[in-house]
Every structure is written in C-alpha cells, then in structure tokens.
Amino acid sequence: MNDSDFRLPDDCATMAEVRAGVDATDRALMEMLDRRFGYMRAAARIKQQRGAVRDEGRKAEVIENARRDADKRGLPADALAQIWNDLVEASIAYEMDEWGRIRA
C-alpha cells in the first residue's frame, strides 16, 4: 500500500488499514520535519550572531501556538505542547550545530 492508498481514520475497518494510515502519516510528518529543519538551516545561515539562535520569546510563542491549535482540535494540548517543546529544543540544537558548521 503506498501513501496515496491509505484510508482516512473514519473510513478504516481493519487494524491493517489503521496501521497503514499511521505509517503513511508518519512518513508525511517526517517530510514536514525535514522542511522544518531546513528552515533551521536557513536561520543558521541568516543569523549573524550565535546568541541569536536561542530566542526564548519565539520559543514560547511557537509552543503556545501548538497548544492552542491542539486545544481547538480537541487533542491533548498539554502533551502536544511538551512534544513541541522537545521539537523546538531539538531545532535550536540543530541550528546551533549548523551555525557552527557554516562558520567553521
């Protein structure tokens, strides 16, 4: 089953269909994360000062946006805010590494 063949959640009738949908969704999430980390590479290229990589105000804004969006969708907002915190921290670490690599 390729990504275009999976069923949407409400259309699943078997666990095989559910698993195929989860796997397709995970691949799509990874593609989106690849793009997100591409933006971190761009930020590392654009920011001239290493200290500009960590922006606590922006971090809080991103996490709050995720929490609010999750809440609107009826998803577990606190758990997803924690995932976003981890994602932002991983992004900052990646951007720091890229910042150093570019300027090495």
Side-chain angles (χ1 to χ4, degrees):
M1 187 178 274
N2 65 40
D3 285 355
S4 62
D5 294 335
F6 71 91
R7 294 178 182 269
L8 294 175
D10 289 343
D11 297 330
C12 291
T14 68
M15 283 308 300
E17 291 171 344
V18 168
R19 290 178 180 137
V22 167
D23 291 347
T25 301
D26 286 349
R27 286 188 296 277
L29 283 168
M30 195 57 69
E31 287 179 26
M32 295 179 86
L33 287 168
D34 186 27
R35 181 173 67 194
R36 190 183 200 288
F37 278 78
Y39 287 116
M40 298 305 97
R41 288 189 299 277
R45 177 176 39 82
I46 293 166
K47 292 177 182 175
Q48 295 302 308
Q49 301 298 319
R50 184 176 182 85
V53 172
R54 178 171 286 281
D55 181 340
E56 291 298 330
R58 175 63 178 151
K59 176 184 172 184
E61 177 186 7
V62 169
I63 294 166
E64 184 53 34
N65 288 343
R67 179 189 305 279
R68 194 173 319 117
D69 193 22
D71 191 50
K72 286 180 191 174
R73 295 169 185 270
L75 299 173
D78 288 343
L80 289 171
Q82 181 59 53
I83 289 170
W84 249 257
N85 182 72
D86 293 346
L87 174 60
V88 172
E89 283 299 322
S91 298
I92 291 168
Y94 182 80
E95 186 181 335
M96 287 279 196
D97 288 347
E98 283 297 302
W99 195 93
R101 185 189 64 76
I102 290 167
R103 288 159 181 81

